[in-house]
Amino acid sequence: MIAFVNGRVAAAGPDGAVVEVGGVGLAVQCTPATLAGLRVGERAHVPTSLVVREDSLTLYGFADDDEKTVFELLQTASGVGPRLALAMLAVHDPNALRRAVATEDLNALTKVPGIGRKGAQRIVLELKDRLGMPLDGADGDTPAPSFAAAAWRAQVHAGLTNLGWTARDADAAVDAVAAEVDGQDTSDIAALLKLAMRKLSR
């Protein structure tokens, strides 16, 4: 079990990063919010979860231990594998997921690509007692800070600069995306980052 990696961030992309540890580059799949906190060329401490399959070993990385814990708990539900668990954390932060499950908010869960209404009902049924309530007394009516309105701009901006674009280019791309998605759901950071990259590649 690889509990964390600690080393220089050698590369970063829209879906993951490469962290150099002891001369070896470890590919780590991450959520956009986690990637936003990584800087190419700088050292990082990334909590990880190793998923072993017959034909692969995949390392998933997280912003903190709480996100890692929720990732592993999500996979105890029927039909939830590591990719879907990561997608859930890309759309909702850990407290938002705890809140959605605790309050049986199926609409919030079905915002995640790959989760339909029946799947959301199953997740609520199986995880309600395992995930628990939101931490730190988070108010169920208040969006978590990292997913509040406009927070996506900082995450997408950081993702673009990590990928090598200048801050000026990132500013322009984020403004263009903001104009396009005005009034729409902006919880899918990965989709917003890819949209920004498409605008920059034109």
Side-chain angles (χ1 to χ4, degrees):
M1 180 66 177
I2 301 175
F4 65 86
V5 295
N6 193 8
R8 184 181 69 88
V9 180
D15 302 315
V18 175
V19 181
E20 182 182 345
V21 181
V24 177
L26 297 176
V28 184
Q29 300 293 305
C30 306
T31 65
T34 302
L35 287 169
L38 302 178
R39 297 287 181 271
V40 174
E42 296 183 4
R43 292 189 66 82
H45 177 89
V46 183
T48 57
S49 179
L50 179 64
V51 176
V52 180
R53 294 286 186 264
E54 287 185 7
D55 58 348
S56 67
L57 295 173
T58 307
L59 201 58
Y60 293 88
F62 309 97
D64 53 38
D65 287 325
D66 183 44
E67 192 174 69
K68 171 184 172 178
T69 298
V70 170
F71 171 80
E72 293 174 345
L73 282 172
L74 290 172
Q75 293 176 75
T76 64
S78 305
V80 178
R83 290 189 178 278
L84 185 55
L86 197 69
M88 293 172 75
L89 285 165
V91 175
H92 300 295
D93 71 358
N95 268 342
L97 283 172
R98 288 189 180 97
R99 188 177 304 116
V101 171
T103 60
E104 301 184 18
D105 186 351
L106 302 184
N107 289 332
L109 293 173
T110 54
K111 286 181 180 179
V112 179
I115 297 181
R117 193 164 186 84
K118 287 185 178 179
Q121 290 171 334
R122 184 176 63 249
I123 288 168
V124 166
L125 180 66
E126 296 185 18
L127 294 182
K128 196 167 187 178
D129 294 332
R130 299 177 196 170
L131 280 181
M133 299 300 292
L135 303 180
D136 302 325
D139 185 348
D141 295 328
T142 304
S146 61
F147 288 86
W152 67 266
R153 295 176 65 106
Q155 295 181 30
V156 171
H157 189 281
L160 292 172
T161 55
N162 276 345
L163 292 169
W165 277 284
T166 65
R168 184 173 182 177
D169 285 343
D171 286 337
V174 168
D175 287 342
V177 171
E180 185 169 327
V181 302
D182 184 34
Q184 300 177 33
D185 178 25
T186 55
S187 60
D188 190 345
I189 304 298
L192 295 171
L193 179 58
K194 288 174 182 175
L195 178 58
M197 291 169 65
R198 284 200 299 272
K199 292 188 177 298
L200 285 168
S201 64
R202 286 175 182 169

